[in-house]
Structure formats: structure tokens, C-alpha cells
């Protein structure tokens, strides 16, 4: 499912100066907003998935990327 993103805001949630979660607010067209909370492990998994996808794209030749 494709989604068109209009804006992204992030915030860190801490408890006694210790990272608890990252809040991620995504604004879509027509002012619809979604709020996600990512725990440290969830954030790590998201970053690993993004890194993997970026690496796979970098391995494609120029014609395959389009």
C-alpha cells in the first residue's frame, strides 16, 4: 500500500534521562495524522530494514532503479 507523506515529526520519550521510545507523527494529505511509538527494539528493527532496502537499491544498475 503506497502512502503519500506530507510531513514527519519525531520526539523522544524519556524516563529519568533514559530513552524509552520515539514518537513518530506522520501527516498525510487532507490533514490526516498518524502517531506511532517505537520502542528501542522496534526502532532498531526499522533502521535495519531501511538499511537493507537502501543497500539492495544501491546494488541495482541504473536501468533497474527506475
Amino acid at each position: 500500500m503506497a502512502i503519500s507523506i506530507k510531513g514527519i515529526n519525531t520526539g523522544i520519550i524519556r524516563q529519568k534521562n533514559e530513552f524509552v521510545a520515539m514518537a513518530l507523527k506522520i501527516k498525510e494529505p487532507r490533514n490526516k495524522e498518524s502517531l506511532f511509538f517505537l520502542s528501542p527494539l522496534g526502532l532498531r528493527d526499522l533502521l535495519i530494514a531501511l538499511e537493507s532496502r537502501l543497500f539492495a537499491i544501491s546494488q541495482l544498475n541504473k536501468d533497474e532503479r527506475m
Side-chain angles (χ1 to χ4, degrees):
M1 176 176 99
I3 184 171
S4 180
I5 297 175
K6 186 176 173 183
I8 296 177
N9 289 325
T10 59
I12 301 299
I13 300 170
R14 294 188 216 180
Q15 184 175 33
K16 295 184 181 177
N17 212 20
E18 190 172 317
F19 178 82
V20 175
M22 182 178 83
L24 178 67
K25 184 166 107 177
I26 298 177
K27 191 170 187 178
E28 301 171 38
R30 292 187 256 179
N31 293 326
K32 181 181 176 202
E33 294 181 353
S34 301
L35 184 60
F36 301 95
F37 295 96
L38 297 168
S39 67
L41 289 177
L43 183 56
R44 184 198 68 179
D45 290 345
L46 174 63
L47 293 174
I48 289 170
L50 289 173
E51 179 185 35
S52 174
R53 184 67 181 140
L54 287 171
F55 178 76
I57 290 171
S58 74
Q59 296 303 302
L60 298 174
N61 67 39
K62 189 176 181 179
D63 293 333
E64 292 174 321
R65 289 184 200 175
M66 298 290 167

